[in-house]
């Protein structure tokens, strides 16, 4: 069925524009209550990031859940993985995170978690889509069964403690100079609290949210400020979270960025050497670099690939017994601890390795030499350019150029009106030739110059 609300990662869009309206949040909460707690009498945990519209969306969720006899438990501003944690540790019927992740403040979104702290699969989302369409026409709770929301204090401390408990005792972090960029987002308190407790020499940036500065010049998609701070302070390493703190990007002491592939490669190797890696390898998406796969082969490990979205990574991990997976963008799932991507948790693993080994982050984070890879994002309006016969022909021609010497991934973004065209090959000239052949066709079909 054609989706009206859900994309790659829940519901997301520009606030007060379909699908990201207060009405959508109201419909979702009513539909979810009828689907997951039809008899009422349950609780649902709700967290949000720092963007201004979060209170409005939260209020709509509260109205819907209370009207159905469900008690909203308000966690306040917390990272997305904290919502997943509380969903599974409190016995809630549902967990909801109000966030648009790395998007600017004009956008917002809704991420849903099951009582096990797991993002919903496609079938469940499609069932919710159907229920949302008729949500305002059904029955509601009797007046005496209407609930009141309540606030749960201490969620941030509980989440930080779970993350810190993953580290080996006796490690000395006091010599590590770390810059942490919180993106003016949901991790602005939890990130600094964790690293301060470890005793690291900490510099914090992007930790003064005002409702509109989330992800603005800071965070995992805008690392310029972090790079400058690392060089200025002489830090050993820099870590950037995104708006809801479920992903990270790492900067080494030279100001060079290490993406999620390098971070996952480092963690996989470390877990393998210490006997903690399960499944004989790890899981990543089709966007991860070929170099990661080649590195894992040298370690006797495998790389399983899924379509884009950390929930698909998580589904494959659970189905096939892996405990490490993630995305090139920095969503990393360590499923022995967390059920979803977690920027702070992954960052602590990197700091733990750096503290134990010493040396330079630039050496540690160069786990493999990346195959030449390039991504072009093409914005469009109107019809999906990938439906064009001309584009289909050009994509087939580009894949033919690469043959078995490279890969091409072309997909429609699930969160923005973009077509993402990615190519990689061991031969850079070949990669660029195939990439631009495909991208030019998509650009023309999108009506761009």
């Amino acid at each position: 069925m054609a989706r009206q609300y859900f994309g790659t990662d829940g519901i997301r869009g520009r606030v007060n524009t379909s699908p990201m309206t207060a009405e959508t949040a109201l419909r979702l909460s009513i539909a979810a209550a009828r689907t997951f707690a039809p008899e009422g009498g349950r609780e649902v945990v709700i967290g949000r990031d720092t963007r201004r519209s979060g209170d409005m969306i939260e209020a709509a969720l509260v109205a819907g859940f209370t009207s159905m006899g469900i008690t909203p438990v308000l966690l306040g501003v917390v990272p997305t993985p904290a919502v997943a944690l509380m969903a599974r540790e409190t016995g809630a019927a549902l967990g909801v995170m109000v966030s648009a992740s790395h998007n600017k403040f004009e956008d917002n979104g809704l991420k849903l978690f099951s009582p096990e702290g797991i993002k919903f699969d496609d079938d469940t989302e499609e069932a919710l889509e159907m229920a949302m369409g008729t949500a305002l026409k059904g029955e509601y709770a009797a007046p005496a069964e209407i609930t009141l929301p309540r606030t749960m204090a201490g969620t941030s401390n509980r989440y930080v403690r779970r993350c810190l408990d993953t580290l080996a005792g006796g490690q000395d972090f006091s010599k590590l100079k770390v810059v942490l960029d919180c993106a003016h987002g949901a991790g602005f308190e939890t990130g600094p609290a964790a690293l301060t407790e470890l005793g690291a020499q900490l510099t914090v940036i992007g930790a003064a949210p005002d409702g509109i500065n989330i992800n603005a010049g800071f965070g995992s998609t805008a690392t310029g400020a972090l790079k400058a701070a690392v060089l200025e302070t002489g830090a050993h390493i820099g870590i950037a979270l995104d708006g809801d703190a479920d992903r990270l990007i790492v900067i080494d002491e030279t100001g060079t960025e290490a993406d999620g592939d390098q971070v996952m490669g480092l963690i996989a190797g470390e877990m393998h050497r210490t006997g903690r890696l399960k499944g004989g390898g790890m899981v990543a998406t089709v966007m991860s670099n070929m170099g990661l796969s080649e590195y894992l082969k040298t370690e006797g490990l495998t790389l399983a690939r899924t379509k884009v979205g950390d929930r698909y990574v998580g589904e494959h991990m659970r189905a096939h017994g892996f405990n490490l997976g993630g995305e090139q963008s920095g969503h990393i799932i360590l499923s022995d601890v967390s059920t979803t991507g977690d920027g702070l948790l992954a960052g602590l693993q990197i700091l733990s390795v750096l503290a134990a080994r010493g040396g330079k982050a630039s050496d540690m984070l160069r786990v493999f030499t990346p195959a030449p890879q390039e991504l072009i994002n093409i914005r469009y309006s109107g019809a999906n350019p990938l439906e064009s016969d001309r584009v289909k022909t050009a994509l087939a021609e580009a894949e033919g150029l690469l043959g078995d010497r490279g890969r091409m991934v072309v997909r429609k973004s699930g969160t923005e009106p973009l077509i993402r065209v990615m190519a990689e090959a061991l031969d850079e000239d070949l990669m660029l030739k195939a990439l631009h052949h495909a991208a030019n066709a998509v650009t023309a079909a999108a009506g761009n110059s």
Side-chain angles (χ1 to χ4, degrees), residues 171-173 176 270 349-359 364:
Q171 281 189 292
D172 182 9
F173 292 85
L176 286 183
E270 188 68 16
Q349 312 314 304
I350 297 299
L351 293 180
S352 178
V353 176
L354 186 58
R357 292 186 187 177
M364 183 183 77

Side-chain angles (χ1 to χ4, degrees), residues 63-84:
F65 283 121
T66 55
S67 75
M68 298 301 296
I70 303 294
T71 300
V73 179
L74 306 182
L75 307 180
V77 174
V78 294
T80 287
V83 174

Side-chain angles (χ1 to χ4, degrees), residues 3-22:
R3 292 188 171 213
Q4 179 180 353
Y5 298 109
F6 286 92
T8 302
D9 193 12
I11 302 172
R12 190 180 304 184
R14 188 176 179 88
V15 171
N16 284 343
T17 302
S18 182
M20 202 55 245
T21 63

Side-chain angles (χ1 to χ4, degrees), residues 4 14 20 46 62 69 144 160-161 166 216 218 239 287 315 334 342 349 364 375 403 419 426 447:
Q4 179 180 353
R14 188 176 179 88
M20 202 55 245
I46 302 174
V62 168
V160 168
R161 179 49 48 198
T166 65
F218 290 86
I239 296 173
M287 301 301 286
E315 286 174 10
L334 293 141
D342 193 325
Q349 312 314 304
M364 183 183 77
L375 170 70
I419 301 298
L426 300 178

Side-chain angles (χ1 to χ4, degrees), residues 176-177 230 235-239 250-258 262-263 266 350-351 353-355 357-367:
L176 286 183
K177 297 181 69 173
V230 166
H236 298 109
I237 195 168
I239 296 173
V250 180
I251 305 298
D252 69 27
E253 82 285 353
T254 71
T256 301
E257 185 173 307
Q262 296 286 359
V263 171
L266 176 63
I350 297 299
L351 293 180
V353 176
L354 186 58
R357 292 186 187 177
K360 297 179 178 180
S362 56
D363 295 329
M364 183 183 77
L365 289 163
R366 188 69 171 183
V367 179

Side-chain angles (χ1 to χ4, degrees), residues 75-344:
L75 307 180
V77 174
V78 294
T80 287
V83 174
L85 171 72
M86 298 308 293
R88 68 180 188 268
E89 290 200 354
T90 63
L94 196 69
V96 184
M97 179 65 180
V98 182
S99 175
S101 192
H102 61 275
N103 293 29
K104 296 296 192 294
F105 91 97
E106 293 93 345
D107 294 345
N108 215 328
L110 294 160
K111 300 182 180 184
L112 280 71
F113 295 92
S114 73
E116 294 76 35
I118 296 169
K119 289 182 179 179
F120 290 143
D121 59 23
D122 289 335
D123 290 343
T124 303
E125 288 184 347
E126 288 176 7
L128 277 173
E129 285 258 352
M130 294 287 290
M132 288 171 69
T134 58
L136 304 184
K137 299 178 181 178
E139 297 295 322
Y140 298 90
E145 295 173 351
I146 293 172
T147 57
L148 294 173
R150 68 181 181 88
T151 300
M152 177 180 286
T155 296
S156 292
N157 291 337
R158 191 167 173 176
Y159 163 69
V160 168
R161 179 49 48 198
R162 292 293 185 278
C163 291
L164 291 175
D165 285 347
T166 65
L167 302 178
Q171 281 189 292
D172 182 9
F173 292 85
S174 65
K175 296 179 181 178
L176 286 183
K177 297 181 69 173
V178 182
V179 181
L180 177 66
D181 179 355
C182 301
H184 296 305
F188 84 101
E189 292 181 327
T190 53
L195 298 190
T196 297
E197 184 166 341
L198 288 176
Q201 301 176 46
L202 182 62
T203 299
V204 179
I205 63 174
D210 62 9
I212 63 175
N213 62 357
I214 186 170
N215 300 313
F218 290 86
S220 61
T221 55
T223 56
L226 178 59
K227 292 175 182 177
V230 166
L231 295 175
E232 181 181 343
T233 62
H236 298 109
I237 195 168
I239 296 173
L241 304 174
D242 71 337
D244 65 337
D246 69 346
R247 61 185 275 199
L248 86 167
I249 292 293
V250 180
I251 305 298
D252 69 27
E253 82 285 353
T254 71
T256 301
E257 185 173 307
D259 65 14
D261 284 344
Q262 296 286 359
V263 171
M264 289 188 292
L266 176 63
I267 294 175
E270 188 68 16
M271 291 178 68
H272 178 53
R273 284 187 285 275
T274 55
R276 295 176 292 134
L277 191 67
K278 299 175 184 176
M282 58 165 289
V283 184
T285 75
V286 293
M287 301 301 286
S288 279
N289 194 277
M290 291 172 62
L292 175 59
S293 177
E294 295 302 309
Y295 161 70
L296 292 173
K297 287 180 184 177
T298 67
E299 297 290 313
L301 302 172
T302 61
L303 178 66
R305 291 187 185 271
T306 72
K307 57 184 177 180
V308 172
D310 69 328
R311 67 191 177 106
Y312 298 114
V313 172
E315 286 174 10
H316 194 91
M317 291 170 65
R318 290 187 294 275
H320 299 280
F322 293 92
N323 63 344
L324 173 63
E327 297 187 278
Q328 188 182 60
S329 60
H331 290 106
I332 297 174
I333 303 174
L334 293 141
S335 64
D336 288 339
V337 183
S338 181
T339 52
T340 191
D342 193 325
L344 176 58

